[in-house]
Amino acid sequence: MFKKVLIAEDMEDINKGVHTLLTELGVTQIKQVQYCDDAYLKIKKGVLNNEPFQLLITDLSFKADHRSQKYPSGEVLVEKLKSEFPTLKVIVYSVEDRLQPVRNLFNKHGIDAYVCKSRSGLKNLTIAITKVFSGVTFLSNEVSSAFNSINELEIDDYDISLLDNLSKGLSQEEISALYIENHIVPASLSSIEKRLNKLRIQFNAHNAIHLVAIVKDLGLI
Amino acid sequence: MFKKVLIAEDMEDINKGVHTLLTELGVTQIKQVQYCDDAYLKIKKGVLNNEPFQLLITDLSFKADHRSQKYPSGEVLVEKLKSEFPTLKVIVYSVEDRLQPVRNLFNKHGIDAYVCKSRSGLKNLTIAITKVFSGVTFLSNEVSSAFNSINELEIDDYDISLLDNLSKGLSQEEISALYIENHIVPASLSSIEKRLNKLRIQFNAHNAIHLVAIVKDLGLI
DNA sequence: TTTCCCCTTACGGTTTTCCGTAAGGGGTTT
DNA sequence: AAACCCCTTACGGAAAACCGTAAGGGGAAA
């Protein structure tokens, strides 16, 4: 089993629950932090002292308070850590159950497990820890469909950018101008119209407003 | 102090943390449920047996699972309970920190306290319980601005309905037809345009898409 | 009662979105 | 090379959204 584990989670009670769980699993060195920045520092320090953490269990959302943070969320923390310390195992433990954010965590940041906080959250977390220790990834039932082929909509970064700019109030013509300026192709108004039409069909949206509302609910933007 | 308290919260660890807190405060009869429907039944039963619960501490979001629920969220549970048992005190304990949902809980459903789950959540919950026991309401710092006059935008139910229908993909003309059919005034296309224009100005939105994106982020719809 | 104000509605013109068609270009297949 | 496919772009018309102006009506104030 893991020997040295770090927990990053801003709520005390959950933090305590995970701590108890780890102790029961036989983890001897357990550190807890309530801020992402502290998590980064602790991981970094561990590596420098040649006593690296083997596993990070982290939440996604950390409530902002008076302390200004360099890493405001679990996602940016994970992104930074996985690029700097690729051997560090990471389990994300969060209430987030929208598929797209989970997909991103695996595909873009290479996390090792995702566990949904729920009634059986701690039970799943136990499974995740043992699985990750033996080198396999884990995904909670609640979001297991994140990698079903049926849900694999062909939505790329360009589509996301388009939807994001729309949601920020840019007209299609303004987006076109922006893309021309930034040398993003396709940039023509016609192509943007076409792409949005494709997205409307994919998401069964009646119009652009509906489309943006849908993808916001899905967590794509 | 309260003698008989019910906790409704689907996550075990938090449930346990609140339980501990109540015990320390001297509450003798503490019941816990992980489903809203169970909460309703327990409250109802208490009243029928002439041993009513004095206080309910409830979460807002309950993860859906195999059990189908009549009351899917803390909000509908509170709405039902407060209308049926007005004397029951209710404290909502949730991560939700958007102002509008909190406003609705106080204004529409008459809850007695709202505590944000956060780093100092349990501490605030303690304060809330003692305050509510002495008959005054309580509001966490994180959402205290919910009732600042500066945030009191004059957004009424009609506006919300308008935005909600927009986000569902209805065109302004379709909304007009719908309102005429349901005898909601104003129903004319012109009035709907005017109202949306007012909302765009209020929220600094560039167009309808932007407007819907903004109010979705604010939790108004 | 008359005046005034606010809300609803109507209308016309401009802009933006929506939708189909088609031309041009680059790459691959035959 | 010719045929083909796919993507980008252009264009034009219809629909919807956007915006200003103005008329009608009901209630409050003078």
Side-chain angles (χ1 to χ4, degrees):
Chain A
M1 182 42 64
F2 292 110
K3 292 292 164 218
K4 193 167 179 183
V5 176
L6 181 65
I7 308 168
E9 159 71 57
D10 56 353
M11 277 198 57
E12 322 159 57
D13 32 12
I14 294 180
N15 215 325
K16 197 185 291 185
V18 178
H19 189 283
T20 309
L21 172 66
L22 286 172
T23 307
E24 288 168 0
L25 284 172
V27 179
T28 49
Q29 297 182 65
I30 308 168
K31 292 287 179 187
Q32 311 182 34
V33 291
Q34 298 199 16
Y35 296 89
C36 283
D37 285 21
D38 294 347
Y40 178 74
L41 292 177
K42 278 229 182 314
I43 300 277
K44 183 100 173 174
K45 194 175 163 196
V47 171
L48 291 177
N49 295 354
N50 222 19
E51 296 171 345
F53 283 94
Q54 301 164 289
L55 172 68
L56 167 70
I57 299 174
T58 181
D59 193 4
L60 282 183
S61 72
F62 289 75
K63 287 256 166 294
D65 62 6
H66 56 284
R67 280 183 53 174
S68 70
Q69 297 288 297
K70 188 171 176 187
Y71 307 106
S73 73
E75 189 173 355
V76 293
L77 172 68
V78 167
E79 182 176 13
K80 174 70 175 170
L81 286 175
K82 270 291 186 179
S83 69
E84 195 166 340
F85 313 106
T87 59
L88 174 72
K89 300 286 186 186
V90 173
I91 296 176
V92 175
Y93 182 50
S94 167
V95 291
E96 179 66 75
D97 62 353
R98 293 173 306 176
L99 301 182
Q100 191 60 29
V102 176
R103 264 196 284 268
N104 287 341
L105 283 167
F106 276 98
N107 293 337
K108 295 191 179 172
H109 308 321
I111 65 168
D112 303 279
Y114 189 92
V115 181
C116 278
K117 284 180 189 170
S118 65
R119 291 187 185 78
S120 49
L122 287 179
K123 205 178 67 193
N124 280 330
L125 189 56
T126 312
I127 301 172
I129 294 169
T130 55
K131 286 234 184 189
V132 168
F133 184 68
S134 62
V136 292
T137 60
F138 176 82
L139 195 58
S140 276
N141 298 329
E142 295 91 338
V143 291
S144 59
S145 56
F147 293 98
N148 284 359
S149 59
I150 199 164
N151 286 82
E152 271 302 343
L153 304 162
E154 308 105 7
I155 310 293
D156 58 24
D157 291 346
Y158 180 86
D159 293 318
I160 301 292
S161 157
L162 220 48
L163 294 166
D164 192 48
N165 282 321
L166 261 193
S167 78
K168 285 176 181 153
L170 276 68
S171 70
Q172 297 178 16
E173 203 159 352
E174 285 170 331
I175 296 175
S176 171
L178 181 70
Y179 285 2
I180 290 172
E181 193 180 324
N182 296 10
H183 307 102
I184 299 172
V185 284
S188 74
L189 178 60
S190 182
S191 289
I192 288 173
E193 286 176 356
K194 276 222 170 358
R195 195 65 81 105
L196 286 176
N197 188 43
K198 190 200 72 177
L199 289 170
R200 271 199 304 276
I201 293 168
Q202 279 190 25
F203 288 102
N204 276 319
H206 296 136
N207 52 42
I209 298 178
H210 196 196
L211 177 63
V212 168
I214 289 171
V215 296
K216 274 191 91 73
D217 282 338
L218 290 174
L220 265 61
I221 56 175
Chain B
M1 180 45 61
F2 293 110
K3 291 293 164 217
K4 193 168 179 183
V5 176
L6 181 64
I7 309 168
E9 159 70 57
D10 57 352
M11 278 199 58
E12 322 159 59
D13 33 11
I14 294 179
N15 214 324
K16 196 185 293 183
V18 177
H19 189 284
T20 309
L21 172 66
L22 286 171
T23 307
E24 288 168 0
L25 284 173
V27 179
T28 49
Q29 298 182 65
I30 307 169
K31 293 287 180 187
Q32 311 183 33
V33 291
Q34 298 199 17
Y35 295 89
C36 283
D37 286 21
D38 293 348
Y40 177 74
L41 292 176
K42 278 230 183 313
I43 300 278
K44 182 99 174 175
K45 195 176 161 196
V47 172
L48 292 177
N49 294 355
N50 222 19
E51 296 171 346
F53 283 94
Q54 302 165 287
L55 172 66
L56 167 68
I57 300 175
T58 182
D59 193 4
L60 282 183
S61 71
F62 289 75
K63 286 258 167 292
D65 61 7
H66 56 283
R67 280 183 54 174
S68 72
Q69 296 287 300
K70 188 171 176 187
Y71 308 107
S73 73
E75 189 173 353
V76 293
L77 172 69
V78 167
E79 182 176 14
K80 174 71 176 170
L81 286 176
K82 270 291 185 179
S83 68
E84 195 166 341
F85 313 107
T87 59
L88 174 71
K89 299 287 185 185
V90 173
I91 297 177
V92 175
Y93 182 49
S94 166
V95 291
E96 179 66 73
D97 62 353
R98 293 174 304 176
L99 302 183
Q100 191 60 30
V102 176
R103 263 195 285 266
N104 286 341
L105 282 166
F106 276 97
N107 293 336
K108 296 192 180 171
H109 309 319
I111 65 168
D112 302 278
Y114 189 92
V115 180
C116 277
K117 285 181 188 170
S118 65
R119 291 186 185 79
S120 50
L122 287 179
K123 204 178 68 193
N124 279 331
L125 188 55
T126 312
I127 301 172
I129 293 168
T130 54
K131 286 234 183 189
V132 169
F133 183 68
S134 62
V136 291
T137 60
F138 175 82
L139 195 57
S140 276
N141 298 328
E142 295 90 338
V143 291
S144 58
S145 56
F147 294 98
N148 283 359
S149 59
I150 197 164
N151 286 81
E152 272 301 343
L153 303 162
E154 309 105 8
I155 310 292
D156 58 24
D157 291 346
Y158 180 86
D159 293 318
I160 301 292
S161 157
L162 219 49
L163 294 166
D164 191 48
N165 282 320
L166 261 194
S167 78
K168 284 176 181 153
L170 275 68
S171 70
Q172 297 178 13
E173 203 159 351
E174 285 169 330
I175 295 176
S176 170
L178 181 71
Y179 285 3
I180 290 171
E181 194 182 323
N182 296 10
H183 307 101
I184 299 171
V185 283
S188 74
L189 178 60
S190 182
S191 289
I192 289 172
E193 286 176 357
K194 274 219 173 359
R195 195 64 82 104
L196 286 176
N197 187 43
K198 188 201 72 177
L199 289 170
R200 271 199 305 276
I201 293 169
Q202 276 190 28
F203 288 101
N204 276 318
H206 296 136
N207 52 43
I209 299 177
H210 196 196
L211 177 63
V212 168
I214 289 171
V215 296
K216 275 191 90 73
D217 282 337
L218 290 174
L220 266 61
I221 57 174

